[in-house]
Amino acid sequence: MAALDQALPEVVDLENRLQAQNFAHKCLRETEEDARRQVEEARLDRIEHIATETLEVFSSIGAGALSCWTVGPKQVPVGGLVNGLLGTGAKIGCLLNPNQRALRSACRVGKSMLQTQLGITTRRIVRGEL
């Protein structure tokens, strides 16, 4: 019994060291997992940024073409109205800042329709066409 009593502090010390080592391994795994998540998040952010910037160019071109669309004998500018409505809806969506990447990107792309239409309308006003 005396030998067990003498060995008890060593056993307790060994158990404490094993618990500390297990805790260190757990922390290391969590840190590595967090680092992997951050790298993946940065990669997805980059893809979203490049895709959005590219699509904004095509959206502006499309908005310019759409602004020429008129209807009826009085040539009512329906395209400009469509650009304004879609762009305003997208602008509101941007203000809400959705968490989904695709929706956030679509809102940013769509608001370029409003910005393009505003530029076209301003140009027409300055030229005295409106």
Side-chain angles (χ1 to χ4, degrees):
M1 202 58 168
L4 286 175
D5 284 339
Q6 287 178 340
L8 186 60
E10 291 176 24
V11 171
V12 169
D13 183 49
L14 181 60
E15 182 181 5
N16 287 340
R17 282 191 272 162
L18 285 173
Q19 287 176 350
Q21 187 178 20
N22 286 336
F23 179 73
H25 284 295
K26 178 184 174 190
C27 289
L28 180 63
R29 280 191 306 272
E30 289 174 357
T31 302
E32 288 172 348
E33 188 177 312
D34 285 345
R36 277 192 296 274
R37 263 192 249 119
Q38 288 175 353
V39 167
E40 180 64 13
E41 190 71 24
R43 185 184 75 81
L44 291 174
D45 286 345
R46 178 89 173 129
I47 290 170
E48 177 186 356
H49 179 72
I50 291 170
T52 300
E53 291 295 325
T54 303
L55 290 172
E56 282 177 345
V57 171
F58 292 109
S59 174
S60 295
I61 293 168
L66 185 60
S67 72
C68 297
W69 179 32
T70 58
V71 174
K74 294 186 179 181
Q75 299 296 305
V76 177
V78 177
L81 182 63
V82 171
N83 278 336
L85 290 174
L86 290 176
T88 300
K91 187 70 165 174
I92 291 168
C94 283
L95 292 173
L96 297 175
N97 196 18
N99 289 331
Q100 295 174 328
R101 289 182 187 280
L103 185 56
R104 187 172 50 233
S105 184
C107 288
R108 288 182 183 151
V109 169
K111 76 178 181 180
S112 68
M113 296 177 80
L114 175 64
Q115 295 162 344
T116 301
Q117 187 60 46
L118 289 173
I120 292 168
T121 302
T122 302
R123 181 174 186 242
R124 291 181 69 199
I125 290 170
V126 168
R127 287 187 164 184
E129 297 172 5
L130 288 181

